Amino acid sequence: MKVDVLLGLQWGDEGKGKVVDVLTPRYDIVARFQGGPNAGHTLEFDNKKYVLRSIPSGVFQNGQVNIVGNGVVLDPVLFMEEAKALEESGVDIRKALKLAKKIHLILPTHRLLDAANEKAKGGAKIGTTGKGIGPTYTDKISRNGLRLGNTLMDDFTARYEAARDRHITMLKGLGAEATNLAELEAKWMEAVDYLKTYDIIDGEQFINDALKQDKRVLCEGAQGTMLDVDYGSYPFVTSSNTITAGACSGLGVAPNKIGDVYGIFKAYCTRVGSGPFPTELFDETGKKIRDLGHEYGAVTGRERRCGWIDLVALKYAIMINGVTQLIMMKSDVLDGFPTIKACVAYKDKNGNTLTHMPYSIDEGEITPVFVELPGWNTDLTKVKSEDQFPKEFKDYIAFLEKELETPITILSVGPDREQTIVRDSFKS
Ligand code: GDP
Ligand code: IMO
Ligand code: MG
């Protein structure tokens, strides 16, 4: 058996959580492979709303195994909060969840370093989620990290203290102080003890054994391709590989074990934090998209920047990820727009038309070239099947499929689980 991967093609918040939940009944295992509590994946069903950060979005269906893979960075304190909240809402989280031993841990000082790094960057700050993501992955790559497996060993406290002391020195170098550390530390140690009560496994072995037994695995991406540390709008990116290849390294799954790749995108585009965004709207239209789409961060509550769909960036993301099927979200947000724009190319400084992603999409380097399409002026939120789609919406879908050379097989027309249209062309 192969694993299927579902991941974001834009700057995150495409609606990954919702669709993973919808697809979970078709799978035996759901696995997160990168990122950490910088993610905020929203699910809505039975008039209730849940936001997941580190825990996979397959925990609300029945009986699937959910794995947090080794490519994820985990904050014990935030994990404990998230897991306890799920327990309170009736999810048997201990039964549903397994954690890979090779997961890297976010220390309290990683979060302090994240804040200090941002402060030191001044106007050039990334606008991170402040969850310590960058410093934790930095420690992983520089071979200084603490892993979940370490918590099970006798020398854990000594290792923790060495890491903490190194971080304190780094903080001093940045002109910052580790205030309230004793309090943060006590809470963190308590959360580590809580973490140790979960099923901690050799994740790579577990998944490969499951594949041998023909179990079906869905890998859940976090962030989006334009936030990938290699292929995103560097340096305004996150610190992990958010692309399909990240599922291989983050779970221990070989490249030839990748099956379908579901690329998910919004019918328009958003971004949180700093960095280039060629199709961003600064006018009333952008504000209207933000209001109608409730475009505020699930984790930080920050306003999301809004703009039209960018097909140059989407084509690039489809190529990098080997996307086999597309999933379009939030089409309903555009219901009332008389016309809709799509960026089909960029113009560079010399007036050349670019249809491939250039090295830099910084402001001043390129300007977007738009086409304008008719809107559908219909409430899509009540639509139950594709034969009820208005003509203009069908034309928009056909236009995107032609431009992107990939079928759109699932459409979302509202935040609820039920507001999802799986087309006949969907393959799983
Ligand atoms: P994720 O990080 O990719 O899981 O996405 P987020 O949860 O951060 O953001 C997506 C937001 O859009 C959430 O508030 C969802 O409830 C909401 N949402 C998802 N699909 C749709 C849709 O089709 N229509 C509308 N109006 N909202 C949606
Ligand atoms: P989900 O999984 C949207 C952004 C931050 C910042 C940059 C780096 O919900 O789609 P980090 O804290 O990772 O060092 O921040 O990446 N970012 C996200 N934007 N959705 C996310 O996750 C994000 N995770 C990080 O806003 O610009
Ligand atoms: Mg999100």
Side-chain angles (χ1 to χ4, degrees):
M1 214 60 188
K2 297 193 172 191
V3 306
D4 295 336
V5 184
L6 185 145
L7 43 72
L9 300 181
Q10 296 165 320
W11 276 282
D13 302 327
E14 295 89 351
K16 297 172 290 291
K18 169 181 167 168
V19 180
V20 168
D21 171 60
V22 168
L23 294 182
T24 293
R26 298 168 190 255
Y27 291 89
D28 301 300
I29 295 173
V30 179
R32 276 277 304 269
F33 57 90
Q34 47 68 234
N38 49 349
H41 295 181
T42 316
L43 288 78
E44 284 191 40
F45 53 90
D46 300 340
N47 294 318
K48 284 199 205 89
K49 184 169 163 173
Y50 302 88
V51 179
L52 296 171
R53 291 161 152 196
S54 304
I55 293 177
S57 301
V59 288
F60 294 103
Q61 303 280 3
N62 272 332
Q64 281 79 8
V65 173
N66 287 261
I67 299 178
V68 183
N70 56 273
V72 171
V73 290
L74 203 63
D75 181 328
V77 177
L78 295 180
F79 172 82
M80 184 164 79
E81 266 175 27
E82 191 177 333
K84 284 190 170 172
L86 285 172
E87 244 173 357
E88 272 165 30
S89 58
V91 175
D92 190 352
I93 191 68
R94 275 170 204 288
K95 188 157 163 262
L97 196 63
K98 295 185 189 297
L99 309 171
K101 265 187 202 153
K102 292 187 172 123
I103 286 171
H104 277 253
L105 297 177
I106 302 176
L107 275 53
T109 37
H110 281 133
R111 286 182 72 163
L112 299 176
L113 279 167
D114 195 356
N117 284 335
E118 284 282 88
K119 196 162 173 226
K121 277 180 185 277
K125 71 172 185 182
I126 312 284
T128 72
T129 58
K131 298 290 181 286
I133 305 297
T136 308
Y137 278 117
T138 301
D139 270 358
K140 172 175 175 173
I141 301 302
S142 63
R143 296 155 294 180
N144 286 306
L146 265 188
R147 305 197 288 185
L148 183 53
N150 290 121
T151 65
L152 307 173
M153 296 175 166
D154 293 338
D155 62 353
F156 174 64
T157 308
R159 277 179 188 261
Y160 166 79
E161 286 171 359
R164 176 203 59 197
D165 292 346
R166 207 169 44 80
H167 293 163
I168 290 173
T169 309
M170 289 163 78
L171 282 164
K172 279 192 188 133
L174 287 161
E177 266 180 66
T179 42
N180 283 340
L181 191 54
E183 200 182 309
L184 295 171
E185 216 164 37
K187 217 167 148 197
W188 192 82
M189 285 297 179
E190 182 200 329
V192 165
D193 285 339
Y194 175 80
L195 203 53
K196 281 159 65 177
T197 63
Y198 276 77
D199 194 7
I200 299 176
I201 58 164
D202 293 314
E204 61 276 34
Q205 195 63 48
F206 185 91
I207 289 204
N208 282 287
D209 287 349
L211 292 177
K212 264 197 184 154
Q213 293 159 19
D214 283 341
K215 295 271 193 274
R216 308 212 54 205
V217 180
L218 178 63
C219 309
E220 173 180 359
Q223 290 78 56
T225 303
M226 298 312 291
L227 287 170
D228 179 85
V229 66
D230 281 281
Y231 300 102
S233 47
Y234 192 88
F236 299 100
V237 293
T238 191
S239 298
S240 66
N241 280 119
T242 60
I243 56 173
T244 305
C248 297
S249 58
L251 289 169
V253 168
N256 63 359
K257 292 273 165 51
I258 300 291
D260 262 298
V261 179
Y262 307 121
I264 182 164
F265 66 101
K266 288 180 192 176
Y268 48 95
C269 197
T270 63
R271 164 160 215 174
V272 215
S274 328
F277 180 5
T279 61
E280 183 168 9
L281 289 161
F282 299 96
D283 56 6
E284 281 303 306
T285 309
K287 194 173 169 300
K288 191 171 160 189
I289 294 178
R290 183 178 309 116
D291 288 347
L292 292 170
H294 305 292
E295 294 295 356
Y296 297 90
V299 173
T300 56
R302 287 181 293 177
E303 256 187 18
R304 292 178 184 149
R305 300 154 63 191
C306 297
W308 295 116
I309 198 164
D310 182 341
L311 301 184
V312 180
L314 271 183
K315 278 183 202 168
Y316 180 71
I318 290 168
M319 172 181 83
I320 297 290
N321 290 304
V323 171
T324 57
Q325 300 182 55
L326 288 166
I327 301 174
M328 181 157 78
M329 310 299 288
K330 303 190 94 160
S331 318
D332 56 295
V333 173
L334 301 182
D335 279 355
F337 287 76
T339 56
I340 285 155
K341 286 189 185 173
C343 164
V344 289
Y346 299 148
K347 276 239 193 282
D348 71 10
K349 279 190 290 197
N350 305 316
N352 300 313
T353 302
L354 310 175
T355 50
H356 292 157
M357 181 62 81
Y359 176 73
S360 167
I361 55 168
D362 287 347
E363 213 183 321
E365 293 290 329
I366 53 120
T367 47
V369 178
F370 289 106
V371 295
E372 198 158 3
L373 302 137
W376 42 88
N377 270 307
T378 311
D379 179 4
L380 288 180
T381 59
K382 307 276 181 318
V383 166
K384 293 279 175 235
S385 65
E386 58 178 309
D387 50 284
Q388 295 167 359
F389 287 161
K391 179 183 178 302
E392 293 81 1
F393 186 52
K394 279 190 192 154
D395 290 347
Y396 186 57
I397 296 169
F399 163 78
L400 293 177
E401 287 185 321
K402 186 156 176 276
E403 285 283 322
L404 302 172
E405 298 177 337
T406 316
I408 301 175
T409 57
I410 298 182
L411 293 133
S412 174
V413 292
D416 196 90
R417 203 188 247 176
E418 301 294 325
Q419 291 169 304
T420 318
I421 292 152
V422 180
R423 300 175 90 188
D424 298 338
S425 52
F426 177 72
K427 288 200 296 324
S428 76

